[in-house]
């Protein structure tokens, strides 16, 4: 059992846990909207009310998360099948020898085709975000801390679920080439909310821990939301970044655009 196989299984297991946690949050929001509509059904008739649009988006998001959970679960089953001892089940081995590659290709295609076209932040979106900027963990689990940066997607391999990304910021590598390329798994990528589609962005409440681009840089760090509910979806977040202390020990409040703030990954190390 090779280390890369174990790492892939662990990454996808974490992704499955993250998806289930996000589903719970979406369902909580749906229940809140239902209760609100039941108590004040007349609100939908008011000019400018977006309750029904928000509820539709929540249902669509819940559906996408559910379908993605199935996809990631299937990938995990496939990974575990590949690690089964070859000598314990002769019949299974004979079947795999003749059709494994074909089955993998069909499995990958079917997983992608089952997803909704509206799924901008999940599997299908990954095939269409070439050239876009995303948040990526580029240290692949090495070191004491997770390192997240803004990178450009160059390629997405649908079979391996790996991205090739480009760090466009000049680096200090020995060759002096500046820009660096990385290959990272699906679980190490978080698409940003669309700047021109603020309704697709989550609305993080006061006190929520998030991952955000530090102003003036392309690096993302853990931060805490300190402003109350935003009046408009396009409003900036007011954040306090961890380890951003001033001389007096206080944490300065920094404004960050909503499309540069994402949910804090489970198990984030900083």
């Amino acid at each position: 059992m090779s280390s890369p196989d174990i790492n892939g299984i662990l990454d996808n297991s974490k992704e499955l846990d993250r998806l289930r946690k996000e589903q719970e949050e979406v369902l909580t929001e749906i229940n809140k909207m239902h209760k609100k509509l039941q108590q004040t059904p007349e609100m939908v008739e008011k000019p400018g009310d977006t309750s029904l649009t928000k509820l539709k988006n929540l249902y669509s998001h819940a559906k996408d998360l559910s379908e993605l959970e199935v996809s990631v679960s299937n990938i995990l089953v496939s990974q575990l099948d590949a690690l089964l001892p070859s000598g314990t089940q002769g019949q299974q081995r004979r079947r795999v020898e003749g059709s494994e590659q074909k089955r993998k290709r069909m499995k990958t295609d079917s997983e992608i085709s089952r997803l909704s076209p509206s799924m901008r932040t999940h599997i299908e979106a990954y095939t269409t975000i070439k050239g876009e900027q995303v948040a990526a963990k580029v240290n692949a689990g090495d070191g004491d801390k997770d390192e997240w940066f803004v990178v450009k997607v160059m390629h997405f391999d649908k079979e391996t679920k790996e991205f090739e990304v480009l760090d466009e910021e000049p680096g200090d590598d020995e060759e002096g080439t500046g820009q660096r390329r990385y290959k990272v798994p699906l679980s190490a990528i978080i698409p940003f909310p669309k700047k021109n589609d603020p309704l697709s962005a989550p609305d993080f409440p006061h006190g929520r821990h998030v991952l955000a681009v530090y102003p003036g840089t392309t690096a993302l760090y853990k931060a805490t939301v300190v402003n109350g509910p935003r009046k408009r979806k396009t409003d900036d977040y007011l954040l306090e970044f961890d380890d951003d202390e001033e001389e007096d020990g206080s944490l300065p409040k920094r404004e960050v655009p909503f499309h540069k703030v994402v949910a804090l990954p489970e198990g984030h190390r900083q």
Side-chain angles (χ1 to χ4, degrees):
M1 188 178 295
S2 65
S3 179
D5 292 331
I6 295 298
N7 289 336
I9 290 173
L10 292 176
D11 285 341
N12 284 319
S13 297
K14 290 178 181 178
E15 175 68 4
L16 198 59
D17 289 339
R18 185 190 69 79
L19 287 170
R20 288 172 176 170
K21 183 178 180 180
E22 190 172 349
Q23 286 183 74
E24 292 178 0
E25 293 176 351
V26 172
L27 290 175
T28 298
E29 290 299 316
I30 289 175
N31 290 333
K32 288 180 180 178
M33 286 296 299
H34 282 173
K35 185 175 181 180
K36 188 175 181 180
L37 290 172
Q38 289 173 352
Q39 293 176 343
T40 56
E42 68 279 1
M43 65 185 294
V44 299
E45 300 178 359
K46 296 180 180 180
D49 182 77
T50 61
S51 299
L52 295 182
T53 298
K54 183 176 181 180
L55 188 59
K56 177 183 177 181
N57 290 336
L58 285 170
Y59 271 121
S60 178
H61 191 38
K63 177 177 179 291
D64 293 338
L65 288 171
S66 178
E67 290 173 338
L68 184 56
E69 180 185 1
V70 172
S71 177
V72 175
S73 296
N74 286 336
I75 294 171
L76 274 168
V77 169
S78 205
Q79 289 175 318
L80 291 170
D81 282 344
L83 294 177
L84 287 175
S86 58
T88 58
Q89 299 184 20
Q91 183 177 359
Q92 180 184 17
R93 185 176 65 177
R94 288 193 296 272
R95 184 181 74 248
V96 169
E97 286 174 351
S99 62
E100 181 65 18
Q101 293 303 319
K102 180 179 178 182
R103 183 178 68 83
K104 283 184 177 180
R105 288 195 298 269
M106 293 176 64
K107 186 179 183 65
T108 298
D109 292 341
S110 64
E111 285 168 358
I112 298 298
S113 64
R114 283 200 301 269
L115 301 178
S116 166
S118 65
M119 191 173 184
R120 300 301 180 190
T121 59
H122 299 297
I123 288 287
E124 183 170 287
Y126 293 148
T127 66
T128 61
I129 60 176
K130 181 178 179 180
E132 293 189 14
Q133 289 187 330
V134 298
K137 185 173 68 171
V138 300
N139 62 326
D142 298 329
D144 297 330
K145 299 180 179 180
D146 290 340
E147 298 177 1
W148 289 81
F149 295 100
V150 178
V151 298
K152 179 188 288 188
V153 175
M154 306 304 292
H155 177 69
F156 175 58
D157 189 319
K158 291 190 289 185
E159 183 172 344
T160 64
K161 301 297 187 297
E162 278 192 335
F163 288 88
E164 181 179 347
V165 298
L166 176 68
D167 182 358
E168 299 177 279
E169 278 292 296
D172 55 0
D173 55 336
E174 294 180 358
E175 297 180 359
T177 55
Q179 298 181 342
R180 291 158 292 183
R181 289 176 180 263
Y182 303 92
K183 284 190 176 181
V184 295
L186 182 150
S187 59
I189 290 286
I190 305 179
F192 288 116
K194 301 294 184 181
K195 183 177 181 180
N196 58 355
D197 186 15
L199 288 177
S200 68
D203 194 5
F204 299 111
H206 173 80
R208 175 66 61 86
H209 295 308
V210 295
L211 196 65
V213 178
Y214 189 85
T217 75
T218 58
L220 292 93
Y221 298 98
K222 181 181 177 182
T224 303
V225 178
V226 295
N227 57 323
R230 292 176 298 150
K231 296 180 180 179
R232 299 172 303 170
K233 277 285 187 177
T234 55
D235 288 345
D236 291 345
Y237 277 107
L238 199 60
L239 307 176
E240 289 181 346
F241 286 88
D242 288 14
D243 301 324
D244 188 29
E245 293 185 1
E246 295 186 335
E247 292 184 0
D248 61 359
S250 63
L251 293 176
K253 296 175 176 57
R254 303 187 185 278
E255 289 189 0
V256 179
F258 75 90
H259 57 276
K260 294 298 182 182
V261 181
V262 297
L264 184 71
E266 187 173 352
H268 176 73
R269 301 173 304 169
Q270 181 170 328

